[in-house]
Structures are given as C-alpha cells and as structure tokens.
Amino acid sequence: MSRLVAVAPALPANVYPQERITEIIGPLLTPAGTDAGRRTALDRFHAASGVTSRHLALPLEQYAELTTFRAANDHFVRLGTDIAARACLEALTAAGLRPEDVDYLLFTSVTGVSAPSVDALLVERIGLRPDITRMPSFGLGCAGGAAGLARVADHLTGHPDQVALLVSVELCSLTLQQGDHSTANLVSSGLFGDGAAAVVMVGDAHPAATPQHAVVVDSRSRLYPGTTDQLGWDVGDTGFRIVLSAGLPRVIEQNLAEDVTAMLDRHDLKVRDVGAWVVHAGGPRVLDAVRDSLDLDESVLHLSREVLAAVGNLSSASVLHVLAATLRDAPPPGTPGVVLAFGPGVGVEMVLLRWPEEAS
C-alpha cells in the first residue's frame, strides 16, 4: 500500500466571473452572421454550467489572438511547465520533502503535447534527480487524476521505500475553437477551466509514511463498450475539438453502481460505509448521475460542486482539487473514501482510500 502525504492544487492568476468570460468568448464562437439562436444557446449553457468563476491561462482579451494549434500548444508548454513547477514545489514543501527525494514522477494531461514532455522539463526546472523514473500520460482525459493515483500506488507497492510525485496540468482554455458553434463546443466553453495539481505519495517503508496519512487501499478501471464516440477529442488543423455527448451522464448513471460495488465488495464494504466521496467535478449532470446511480445523499457531493463553481471542470486536475479539499477537513479515523473520475473510452477510474484508525 501507499500513503497520500500532500496534495497541492495550483491555478493561473487570471480569474474571471463566468459572466465576463461569456461576454468575451461568446463572440469568438458565434461571430457576426451566426444564427442568433446559437448565441442564445451559448448564454443558456454557460448560465446552467454550475460555474461562477474560472482561472484562465491567458488574460481573457488575448484569446481572440489564439487562432492556431501551434500558438496554443506553445502557450501550453510554457505556462503548463510554470504551473506544474509551482504545484510540485508546494506539494513537496507540505510533505517536508525535497525535489531530490523524488524517485518516480507520473505526469498526466490531455490539453497539450510536447516532446520532451512537461515531466522531463520539470527535472532541471525544480531540481529533480536526473535518474528519476518518469511516466508521461496522455489520453485519459478527466480520468487522469484518479488513474494517476492508482498507477502511482501500483508503482509504490513494488517500491515501498520510494517517494512518488503525481502531476496533472490542464489548460483547457487553450483548446478554444473559434467559430465552432456546435453544441459540444458551446457547452465546453462554459464548463472547463485551467489548473494543475501535484500529489506526493510514499510507499509503506518510507520514513514519511506516518499513520496520519490516508492509505490507497485498492483501485479499479472500467471501459464501457460502445461509448467511444461519447467523450474525447477530434484532432484537426486547429487543434483539439471537443467531443462531448449529451448521453454521457446516462452512461454513468446506468453503469457506475455495479463497478463501485464490485470494488467495495472486495473489502466487505457497502456504498453506505463510504464516508468520503471524492468525485470529479465534471459538470452538474455528471454529478447528478453519480448521485443517482449510487443513491447518494446530495450533501456528500458538496465539495465537488464547490470546486466546480469556483474553478470549473479542470479535466484530470479536477478530482485532485476535490481531494485537496477533502484532506483539509479529513473524515473521522477509519473512514473509507472513494475517488471517482470519468474520461474518454468512456472509462471510469476508481480508487479506494482509507483514513487511518488513529489520526495524530
């Protein structure tokens, strides 16, 4: 097993109320000559997103200049490395560790690409060892944060004396597709924000593995057949064009309970035993689908809805921001917790946590 030692969320400095974003971004998606009904739809989708503010990689007025994939991706590499470095250093400081203590680094993102990847750029930037083991990941989408926790835990099971760092960077605003007034693009333009997070985890044999830290107990992954057209990217000349089906919440509602129950059954647990639900803030309908599928009380998703309102859907970083909020007000000792996130496939990533019996 492994332990969660520290989680550090990070956000760009440019923050705007949702109404201001709608005002500036709206004309870029529905320019003069577009059917007026599309702008009406955009306003409606933005207002119904559950989002009140978002942090953006660039000042809002600069998005009109963002017209090529190359320009957007150059910003991603530069700004993404900056915010990743900040998150990593904050997480390591909170854990009482140094960059040179880190043995394993998993980086996940789905909003930009580079080779060398951002994890490699971080090595000299923050002083990681040159012999660090790295694992960059692309394509898990919003599920990447939860999957990252699981894969890091798998690594630490085989390397119990090591320190691992999980880093998620998502600059969703840089994928803006100007002139695209499809429903998927209008919805996503009101939902996704920019942000990052870093998580420090250690194996059981490491000195930092103290009893007050939550333990990763188990994980489970599942792909739902026949859903590959529900969520993801359509990659074209102008970059990443969102694929976002209105049927996604229904896929979650119909399938999630069986998979969560299967993971809990392995540990003689029931849904009612779970005291902390760390759910990806994917949007109001996604959270409703989780609630209804698992027959949860609305109150258990309050942190997910608060994160959604404050910063929007941060793709893979979203669930890690919810995790950070959960850890700030940790549940009672011995409490099981479940981390849930959804990504292209359609896939769900689940992680079972347990808070220690005796917190100190």
Side-chain angles (χ1 to χ4, degrees):
M1 291 190 292
S2 60
R3 293 186 181 266
L4 296 172
V5 181
V7 181
L11 295 163
N14 308 300
V15 58
Y16 302 94
Q18 180 79 326
E19 294 80 5
R20 179 62 176 163
I21 296 174
T22 304
E23 177 188 352
I24 300 299
I25 296 299
L28 301 181
L29 304 185
T30 58
T34 304
D35 182 349
R38 300 314 292 161
R39 177 53 196 260
T40 300
L42 180 144
D43 292 342
R44 184 174 70 253
F45 293 145
H46 282 215
S49 65
V51 178
T52 58
S53 62
R54 283 182 281 165
H55 293 249
L56 303 180
L58 300 174
L60 191 52
E61 291 74 16
Q62 291 186 16
Y63 283 89
E65 305 166 9
L66 201 65
T67 57
T68 68
F69 183 28
R70 178 171 183 170
N73 202 66
D74 285 350
H75 284 306
F76 173 85
V77 176
R78 176 175 59 86
L79 298 174
T81 304
D82 288 346
I83 195 171
R86 175 155 57 93
C88 289
L89 292 173
E90 289 179 3
L92 288 167
T93 297
L97 296 167
R98 303 165 300 171
E100 55 265 35
D101 295 326
V102 180
D103 303 288
Y104 182 80
L105 172 61
L106 192 155
F107 169 72
T108 187
S109 182
V110 75
T111 51
V113 293
S114 66
S117 48
V118 168
D119 49 290
L121 300 177
L122 287 172
V123 173
E124 290 189 13
R125 175 71 172 270
I126 67 172
L128 298 168
R129 299 198 317 267
D131 66 343
I132 192 170
T133 301
R134 297 181 296 110
M135 181 57 66
S137 166
F138 180 91
L140 288 165
C142 298
L149 293 173
R151 300 294 79 76
V152 169
D154 290 344
H155 174 84
L156 291 172
T157 297
H159 304 83
D161 59 342
Q162 290 193 355
V163 175
L165 192 57
L166 165 64
V167 187
S168 161
V169 174
E170 302 289 10
L171 304 183
C172 304
S173 70
L174 298 179
T175 68
L176 180 72
Q177 297 293 300
Q178 296 192 34
D180 177 3
H181 49 76
S182 64
T183 296
N185 199 45
L186 299 185
V187 170
S188 67
S189 70
L191 182 61
F192 288 92
D194 297 343
V199 183
V200 176
M201 298 170 62
V202 298
D204 273 348
H206 192 276
T210 55
Q212 72 261 34
H213 298 127
V215 175
V216 178
V217 177
D218 199 359
S219 63
R220 181 178 173 91
S221 303
R222 178 70 186 274
L223 284 171
Y224 299 128
T227 64
T228 55
D229 61 347
Q230 299 281 302
L231 179 63
W233 292 130
D234 179 7
V235 184
D237 293 342
T238 57
F240 300 130
R241 182 175 182 269
I242 190 74
V243 175
L244 183 62
S245 169
L248 176 62
R250 184 165 178 81
V251 171
I252 295 169
E253 185 174 351
Q254 290 179 334
N255 294 282
L256 181 62
E258 179 181 352
D259 294 309
V260 171
T261 299
M263 181 177 70
L264 294 175
D265 281 348
R266 296 199 292 243
H267 304 274
D268 296 321
L269 293 170
K270 304 296 182 185
V271 168
R272 64 177 177 271
D273 298 321
V274 177
W277 291 95
V278 184
V279 181
H280 161 56
R285 293 186 61 211
V286 167
L287 292 174
D288 290 349
V290 172
R291 178 198 62 203
D292 295 345
S293 181
L294 297 173
D295 194 23
L296 301 176
D297 188 276
E298 172 60 30
S299 63
V300 305
L301 298 177
H302 75 280
L303 289 178
S304 296
R305 295 201 191 268
E306 288 174 8
V307 167
L308 178 65
V311 298
N313 180 345
L314 303 178
S315 191
S316 68
S318 175
V319 76
L320 302 181
H321 279 240
V322 180
L323 178 61
T326 304
L327 293 177
R328 282 195 292 269
D329 187 17
T335 298
V338 171
V339 180
L340 291 174
F342 312 93
V346 168
V348 58
E349 295 288 338
M350 297 161 280
V351 180
L352 178 62
L353 306 178
R354 186 179 291 277
W355 272 260
E357 294 292 342
E358 295 184 3
S360 60

